[in-house]
Amino acid sequence: MPSTSDTRRFTLTLSAPDRVGIVAAVSAFIAEHHGWIIEATHHADELEKRFYMRHEIATDSLPISLEGFRERFARIGREFSMDWKVTDHSKKKRVVILVSKLEHCLYDLLARWKAGELDIEIPCVISNHETWRSFVEWHGIPFHYVPVTPETKAQAYDEVQRLYEDARADTMVLARYMQVLSPKLCAAYPGQIINIHHSFLPSFVGAKPYHQAYARGVKLTGATCHYVTEDLDEGPIIEQDVIRVRHSDRPDDLVRLGRDIEKAVLARGLRYHLEDRVLIHGNKTIVLR
Amino acid sequence: MPSTSDTRRFTLTLSAPDRVGIVAAVSAFIAEHHGWIIEATHHADELEKRFYMRHEIATDSLPISLEGFRERFARIGREFSMDWKVTDHSKKKRVVILVSKLEHCLYDLLARWKAGELDIEIPCVISNHETWRSFVEWHGIPFHYVPVTPETKAQAYDEVQRLYEDARADTMVLARYMQVLSPKLCAAYPGQIINIHHSFLPSFVGAKPYHQAYARGVKLTGATCHYVTEDLDEGPIIEQDVIRVRHSDRPDDLVRLGRDIEKAVLARGLRYHLEDRVLIHGNKTIVLR
Amino acid sequence: MPSTSDTRRFTLTLSAPDRVGIVAAVSAFIAEHHGWIIEATHHADELEKRFYMRHEIATDSLPISLEGFRERFARIGREFSMDWKVTDHSKKKRVVILVSKLEHCLYDLLARWKAGELDIEIPCVISNHETWRSFVEWHGIPFHYVPVTPETKAQAYDEVQRLYEDARADTMVLARYMQVLSPKLCAAYPGQIINIHHSFLPSFVGAKPYHQAYARGVKLTGATCHYVTEDLDEGPIIEQDVIRVRHSDRPDDLVRLGRDIEKAVLARGLRYHLEDRVLIHGNKTIVLR
Amino acid sequence: MPSTSDTRRFTLTLSAPDRVGIVAAVSAFIAEHHGWIIEATHHADELEKRFYMRHEIATDSLPISLEGFRERFARIGREFSMDWKVTDHSKKKRVVILVSKLEHCLYDLLARWKAGELDIEIPCVISNHETWRSFVEWHGIPFHYVPVTPETKAQAYDEVQRLYEDARADTMVLARYMQVLSPKLCAAYPGQIINIHHSFLPSFVGAKPYHQAYARGVKLTGATCHYVTEDLDEGPIIEQDVIRVRHSDRPDDLVRLGRDIEKAVLARGLRYHLEDRVLIHGNKTIVLR
């Protein structure tokens, strides 16, 4: 009987056109293999008629390997026309972080990683500035300087892509990376690149959102964690939050207050992603928690 | 294929000692009867080794009645030593409201009922004051005046119990009812009586919590919705929330600010209860949503 | 020495180009007249070089009437080129409420008025539907039915204006009034008409904001209380707030969740307005609290 | 005319028995010296009859030094029996941080310091473990290892006091320092030692508050930033906040979620303290912002 949060586990996520019998088929499959369900979450989208499901199953209760699970489950996947995926929770995700000069999200992510809260590998940090090299290297993480200029943009993103590939990474985090990625790069890794935008989208897209917010006189400012697509600031939203501002807060106070909400929202959104809780459908996400 | 939020549905809730096969058994049962699962929520308490589950099943997809469901499901319930319950969502819950002189929660509940947000019957309102008779009666709801004095306490609560029984009610809401119920009444309806306490429990139990909060200089004040047990303010907590206060807020400002959070917390807690989302285990609740 | 929150008071609010000596001139004036300052709030806008101030002064400590105060203060007002206003807190504001079919904000406002939390006169409620006549009249408040059709729009708003004038009102609240006021009416009462918009502006202006929010997949939904100007949903924002939504919330759930935040935001914004805490500068507000 | 947030400024804070003329006397004094008021905040405690005030005054508008200000203001201070203090905003506060093995608050504070958000000197970090030496030293900050055992407690705190004195520090932050300071140390620096307690006080005082919170089944967990006094967890509260937890959160999840709220609450409370916004009266604080 599995007993702690450290239990090794497989995570099965799926979505399918909704119909009778999906849950029964999946849970019968798990029970037949004596799989112990640690966590199960469902969502039936009544408007879209689509069903979403996520299971965490204790691996030591299963007599089969991840490969074995995949082979046997494939039949059910086909029968119900599922998009499905099963991952081994003990295999750490490999996350490459991109950063520019603003370091608050970088500090926050490395602190969480150091504390064991983000159970990931960070094969490298990439930056268009040398500013944070020694801080990153203090943490024992390789640092790559890839300058980006209008002229060298294409090559620079080819270099980023090469480093990402070499790192065998599966997630790219733009931790206040102040450059717009090339469409080619965005298209290469759908659902893998996570950005933190410093406004409560869809308000204040584009540059200088805190100054836009100040000009409009809003009473709350926010941040949005979303997957990057070719349409700037238009990708599927993973997480959002806001913080109260006052009339005495100038644009630079909004910047300061906003940093806290950016860190929190990025950390939560990334965590959902890493735990395979985020299913993308069209331009929206279902976060199964 | 069921399609709207107005779909008639059965709600099945259960808890059981955790083991392999519970989900499979339940979902196989539902699938065999062609039951369409609208919503499913699970919780495995790893520390207590107990499993909790709630399903909403579209009734028009089922060839059996509520009684038929109960009869057939009983075998599974026994096999897994479940505490289980199935209810017909279309059968409105019958909620008796108790109120004293403070009316903000009464107004709030009646407004939600009037708007169709609380899909309940309110067979009557009971009060130890005549203050709100005509307001209640304007809504077409019978009003019973049951005065409570130190001498008549026992009889008064017998009368409350008689009215509750006559109303064939299943839920009693203490909407800032400023009397302590008798132990007899508390014991008669475990998991049926809901109170709103005007502090963030376990802080500030007992009388005048806003004055206690002011004296301690806290920066937030809260409210707690909980089931009533014989131990005052110690019952299982259903929902809580807080609101920020400032040093310029006097005790009567805390009372005013607190009203908003009391209304919100009571309405949310009651809603979870009415939707059969709240499972009690010992002195805690699991709210499956 | 004034001692309770019931103390009669004058409220002095002003704004002026910032310079040395404003606070000294005002506070010397108050002290010379032995005025007891109950509350004082300042704001210096460093970017706009404008100074804002609000004082509550206990009237029983002053040997002069409101008129006397005005006459004597006028010199200081001129000297510092102030926009200023002094009001007698004990003279209740007269608030006309406009409502359509959705009643949650109406219930909420009347509940707060009944509880003494909104210390106002409500000379009448105006509606383009008869739906809530008897509820309003139960509260002892006159109800006027003013239907609005595309053809009669101009006359209808003339009638609303006439009723507002007859009521000698100083504030108009659009409590989910589902009609766009005429430009003429908006222009007639700048800073007097308060609307509650059911989104976190500037997101989702215009119709059906909850459906827009659902379509975009946002993780929070909000409400905005603002002064009405001729530009729909573009007036100065008084107050805003948000509430978390989940992927399982359909548009009608957003509508339901949104009601709570609409009520709260409207009540707070209106309260700030009634207490003369809101100073408008351009398209923004300064809320002195 | 001062124009930016970088303006050098004096901060004057005071409290006094409330009476007519305090504001006038202070603002006349400032105006006579041509002092430009950047920010002013008042609070009149009607129950305690005590008046609190804080001014930020642009120094370049004043023809006098800090010493000159003190000498001249002393007469007003005496006349109104004020507790008062004036500080030069440009003179950075000197903050000593105490830490044990848990580093999240240390990371957070150093990140804010590095970003220029906390405009302080950190003369040293003191710890009862060697764990974070090289991280602290990477930031160019001296690190002192002062082990604490039951036998050496008295000497250890003498050593802490000596280091604090040598550092000419004015603020000590217990950043999840897991030791109870000696009464002698607490008594030596009233209003200088800031602690972060990992519960929403007064709930769950003492050890393992997250486990206490889990056992009681609360729906929110919180953190409290307070001044340290000899009574453990009973000092004046500076700031508090909460975060929502769910039934699926185990004690170690509460620990993780709590870290975020601890960091935020400590950072805010410390900021208020550093900006001389916190006035202590009895066991409560007035935070003038």
Side-chain angles (χ1 to χ4, degrees), chain B residues 94-99 121-129 133 141-148 154-173 177 184-185 189 192:
Chain B
R94 299 177 64 80
V95 181
V96 167
I97 300 173
L98 271 70
V99 69
E121 303 283 349
I122 306 180
C124 65
V125 169
I126 301 173
S127 182
N128 56 332
H129 296 281
R133 174 182 292 278
I141 299 169
F143 179 94
H144 301 294
Y145 170 52
V146 182
V148 179
Q155 293 149 260
Y157 289 122
D158 284 349
E159 175 69 3
V160 167
Q161 187 163 2
R162 195 187 59 74
L163 289 166
Y164 186 72
E165 289 290 337
D166 283 1
R168 287 165 296 113
D170 43 49
T171 301
M172 187 186 297
V173 174
Y177 183 68
K184 180 186 161 200
L185 197 53
Y189 306 107
Q192 289 191 31

Side-chain angles (χ1 to χ4, degrees), chain B residues 193-219:
Chain B
I193 311 179
I194 292 175
N195 185 42
I196 179 72
H197 181 78
H198 41 315
S199 85
F200 181 71
L201 291 175
S203 291
F204 311 130
V205 298
K208 290 198 162 279
Y210 290 124
H211 291 75
Q212 294 182 54
Y214 178 81
R216 181 61 185 95
V218 292
K219 303 300 185 188

Side-chain angles (χ1 to χ4, degrees), chain C residues 10-266:
Chain C
F10 290 162
T11 303
L12 171 69
T13 53
L14 61 89
S15 75
D18 205 354
R19 49 174 271 205
V20 165
I22 301 178
V23 181
V26 173
S27 52
F29 175 88
I30 296 171
E32 280 160 22
H33 292 88
H34 306 285
W36 184 279
I37 297 173
I38 294 170
E39 187 181 322
T41 335
H42 302 196
H43 170 56
D45 186 327
E46 295 181 45
L47 302 179
E48 299 262 358
K49 310 292 179 217
R50 195 161 182 88
F51 185 76
Y52 301 84
M53 194 156 68
R54 177 183 182 278
H55 281 88
E56 290 186 17
I57 307 153
T59 49
D60 52 9
S61 67
L62 283 173
I64 48 174
S65 67
L66 189 68
E67 263 323 294
F69 191 108
R70 278 186 187 133
E71 275 166 34
R72 296 183 195 200
F73 192 79
R75 188 188 50 75
I76 295 175
R78 275 191 305 274
E79 184 184 341
F80 290 90
S81 308
M82 291 176 182
D83 283 338
W84 66 277
K85 179 172 82 158
V86 59
T87 57
D88 183 345
H89 193 78
S90 67
K91 195 166 161 299
K92 292 184 183 188
K93 289 234 170 38
R94 298 177 66 78
V95 181
V96 167
I97 300 173
L98 271 70
V99 69
S100 292
K101 283 188 175 168
L102 292 174
E103 81 283 9
H104 55 283
C105 287
L106 177 69
Y107 253 88
D108 188 71
L109 292 174
L110 293 187
R112 291 175 195 275
W113 171 74
K114 197 81 181 164
E117 181 184 322
L118 286 179
D119 190 28
I120 55 175
E121 303 283 349
I122 306 179
C124 65
V125 169
I126 301 172
S127 181
N128 56 332
H129 296 280
E130 284 281 11
T131 321
W132 297 102
R133 174 182 293 279
S134 89
F135 180 71
V136 169
E137 290 178 349
W138 180 88
H139 286 85
I141 299 170
F143 179 94
H144 301 294
Y145 169 53
V146 181
V148 179
T149 65
E151 298 75 36
T152 64
K153 209 152 192 166
Q155 292 149 260
Y157 289 123
D158 284 349
E159 175 69 2
V160 167
Q161 188 164 1
R162 195 188 59 74
L163 289 166
Y164 186 73
E165 289 290 338
D166 283 0
R168 287 165 297 111
D170 43 49
T171 301
M172 187 187 296
V173 174
L174 310 186
R176 295 302 311 275
Y177 182 68
M178 307 300 272
Q179 299 290 329
V180 178
L181 296 191
S182 63
K184 180 186 160 198
L185 197 53
C186 297
Y189 306 107
Q192 289 191 32
I193 311 179
I194 293 175
N195 185 42
I196 179 72
H197 181 77
H198 41 315
S199 84
F200 182 72
L201 292 175
S203 291
F204 311 130
V205 299
K208 291 197 163 278
Y210 290 124
H211 291 75
Q212 294 182 54
Y214 179 81
R216 181 61 185 95
V218 292
K219 303 300 185 187
L220 303 165
T221 189
T224 303
C225 176
H226 64 95
Y227 286 113
V228 172
T229 61
E230 296 179 48
D231 298 317
L232 187 67
D233 302 337
E234 295 288 336
I237 294 170
I238 307 171
E239 175 64 346
Q240 301 186 291
D241 215 338
V242 295
I243 195 169
R244 190 159 286 273
V245 297
R246 307 194 303 171
H247 55 258
S248 54
D249 292 316
R250 290 170 305 251
D252 53 334
D253 293 308
L254 268 61
V255 168
R256 171 176 57 81
L257 291 164
R259 281 200 294 258
D260 277 354
I261 208 77
E262 292 167 30
K263 290 184 292 188
V265 166
L266 175 57

Side-chain angles (χ1 to χ4, degrees), chain A residues 5 103 107-108 111-112 114-115 117 132 134-135 138-139 246 250 252 256 259-260 263 271 289, chain D residues 5 103 107-108 111-112 115 117 132 134-135 138-139 246 250 252 256 259-260 263 271 289:
Chain A
S5 55
E103 80 282 11
Y107 253 88
D108 188 71
R112 292 175 194 276
K114 198 81 180 165
E117 180 184 321
W132 296 103
S134 90
F135 180 71
W138 181 88
H139 286 84
R246 307 194 304 171
R250 289 170 306 250
D252 53 334
R256 172 176 56 80
R259 280 199 294 257
D260 278 353
K263 290 183 293 187
R271 186 177 179 88
R289 47 189 294 267
Chain D
S5 56
E103 80 282 10
Y107 254 87
D108 188 71
R112 292 175 195 275
E117 180 184 322
W132 297 102
S134 90
F135 180 71
W138 180 89
H139 286 84
R246 307 193 304 171
R250 290 170 307 250
D252 54 334
R256 172 176 56 80
R259 281 199 295 257
D260 278 353
K263 289 184 293 188
R271 186 177 180 87
R289 46 188 296 266

Side-chain angles (χ1 to χ4, degrees), chain B residues 5 103 107-108 111-112 115 117 132 134-135 138-139 246 250 252 256 259-260 263 271 289, chain C residues 5 103 107-108 111-112 114-115 117 132 134-135 138-139 246 250 252 256 259-260 263 271 289:
Chain B
S5 55
E103 81 282 11
Y107 254 88
D108 188 72
R112 292 176 195 274
E117 181 184 321
W132 297 101
S134 90
F135 180 71
W138 181 88
H139 286 85
R246 307 194 304 170
R250 291 171 305 252
D252 54 333
R256 172 176 57 80
R259 282 199 294 258
D260 277 354
K263 290 184 293 187
R271 187 178 179 86
R289 48 188 296 266
Chain C
S5 55
E103 81 283 9
Y107 253 88
D108 188 71
R112 291 175 195 275
K114 197 81 181 164
E117 181 184 322
W132 297 102
S134 89
F135 180 71
W138 180 88
H139 286 85
R246 307 194 303 171
R250 290 170 305 251
D252 53 334
R256 171 176 57 81
R259 281 200 294 258
D260 277 354
K263 290 184 292 188
R271 186 178 179 88
R289 47 189 295 267

